[in-house]
Amino acid sequence: MESLLRWGIENSANANDGSNPPPAPRQDLDPGIIDMILGKSDAVLMKEDMAIAQDESQSESARIDALDHLEMLIEQIDNANNLEKLQMWTPLQKLIESAPTPELKMQALWVIGTALQNNPAAQDAYFSHDPLPVLTNFLTPSPFSTSQTRSKAIYALSGLLKHNAPAVEALSRSDVNGWERLREALQDPDLGVRRKALFLLSTLLIPSSDPSSSSASSSLSQPIHANSHAAALANPSRTDTSSPSLSALSTHGILPAVISALTSPVPSGPDGDVPGPDPDFEEKGLALLRTYALECNGQFKDGEKEALTRWFDEEKVKEGGGNGALAERWGLSKGEFDSLREKVTGA
């Protein structure tokens, strides 16, 4: 024991006599190495994608690939909300306004539409940039508004307008002409664009839940925390797109345009050489008429009643069955179709 104590004292003295070198200071890891180990954050990747998308020295394919990757990232709602924090809405808007090719514009519209889906916070952030005049302008066919671009423009409009009454009301602005352009889209040369425009109109017409209901009142009594849906929770009436849409159906001639598109379909195709009705368009059109007549208690004018009654009768003969066969063809229950027909015929 005594020898062990002596050894400890001797070695302790040697450790404190300054003969041993001090430990080397720690060297921080290179950030590049950290990125290689952990991977870059989504925010960094989003910035890199946007930088490439804006860089006119990059090839078109590289810019499109960057936007495609950005679109994948903002499928995650937190990343979509980061578009505002990272100040990316302005460059995205500039891309759809001035990108040199329809393909680049289309890809930017795709990013915008995905970011807006079911995201009131993103809707408000983007709406503050007054995008409607540019978005609705895409609905008019032109060399820079191909069928694919028009389709993605409706996708972006859908994301902005759904459950967003302030944006829907802005469609009536003279510099937007949104309702007129959606009406014209019902006769777009591309059937896909027609279907999307009709589906959007039908969706906007669906009544939302009554803000004065007990569930809505209960939600208002609860504290509202900052999140993607805070705006909708704070003001439940903002989701009421049905009222302005119902008014627009008559004041902007959309209802007669829908009825005409159903009863006397315009040939489709780039050269207008594809005749005949489209079953998908018909189903979407009947869904709009059902919502208009049965859920919104909309009224048909005499000429509209005559056109629909004649069409119903003609299609019943073609179908070779009764109202049940037509209802099934158009995705309605027999009761829904019977009620709609009664509203049309008044019988």
Side-chain angles (χ1 to χ4, degrees), residues 21-294:
R26 192 193 75 174
Q27 293 184 346
D28 291 332
L29 288 175
D30 186 308
I33 296 177
I34 296 177
D35 286 343
M36 290 179 62
I37 297 172
L38 301 179
K40 297 178 182 179
S41 69
D42 284 355
V44 171
L45 293 173
M46 290 168 66
K47 289 179 181 178
E48 291 179 351
D49 288 337
M50 183 58 72
I52 295 172
Q54 291 179 277
D55 188 352
E56 296 181 1
S57 68
Q58 295 281 344
S59 67
E60 180 185 24
S61 61
R63 298 173 75 182
I64 288 175
D65 287 345
L67 287 170
D68 182 56
H69 185 252
L70 177 60
E71 192 271 337
M72 180 191 70
L73 289 172
I74 53 91
E75 288 177 355
Q76 211 281 333
I77 195 167
D78 289 335
N79 288 339
N81 289 331
N82 275 341
L83 288 174
E84 174 72 5
K85 298 174 184 176
L86 298 175
Q87 300 181 339
M88 289 187 178
W89 284 118
T90 296
L92 278 171
Q93 188 67 11
K94 287 182 178 178
L95 280 171
I96 67 171
E97 291 175 3
S98 57
T101 66
E103 290 76 17
L104 268 172
K105 291 175 183 283
M106 182 192 74
Q107 202 68 40
L109 285 166
W110 199 342
V111 173
I112 290 169
T114 298
L116 297 174
Q117 296 301 310
N118 195 31
N119 190 342
Q123 286 178 331
D124 288 349
Y126 184 50
F127 190 52
S128 68
H129 294 267
D130 194 26
L132 280 175
V134 175
L135 290 178
T136 57
N137 193 50
F138 276 111
L139 300 184
T140 302
S142 72
F144 276 90
S145 185
T146 63
S147 59
Q148 294 90 345
T149 308
R150 297 195 299 278
S151 178
K152 283 297 179 285
I154 294 178
Y155 177 59
L157 278 169
S158 174
L160 180 62
L161 298 174
K162 285 182 181 178
H163 309 298
N164 189 1
V168 172
E169 290 165 355
L171 290 174
S172 297
R173 282 170 30 192
S174 60
D175 62 328
V176 175
N177 290 324
W179 295 115
E180 288 80 1
R181 285 172 173 159
L182 283 170
R183 182 191 66 214
E184 292 165 1
L186 296 174
Q187 296 187 346
D188 191 276
D190 186 87
L191 266 177
V193 174
R194 293 186 195 181
R195 295 171 188 147
K196 287 179 171 64
L198 183 56
F199 182 72
L200 174 57
L201 289 167
S202 183
T203 301
L204 296 178
L205 187 61
I206 297 173
S208 60
S209 58
D210 184 357
S212 63
S213 66
S214 58
S215 60
S217 300
S218 174
S219 66
L220 287 174
S221 65
Q222 302 298 321
I224 297 173
H225 304 286
N227 58 45
S228 297
H229 289 75
L233 293 172
N235 180 19
S237 64
R238 88 171 245 139
T239 65
D240 177 23
T241 62
S242 181
S243 298
S245 299
L246 181 61
S247 174
L249 255 63
S250 57
T251 57
H252 294 277
I254 293 174
L255 182 63
V258 170
I259 293 173
S260 176
L262 289 169
T263 60
S264 304
V266 175
S268 60
D271 300 317
D273 55 353
V274 182
D278 175 62
D280 190 16
F281 186 88
E282 285 186 353
E283 184 172 330
K284 289 176 169 58
L286 266 293
L288 182 145
L289 295 179
R290 181 196 64 79
T291 301
Y292 172 77
L294 304 185

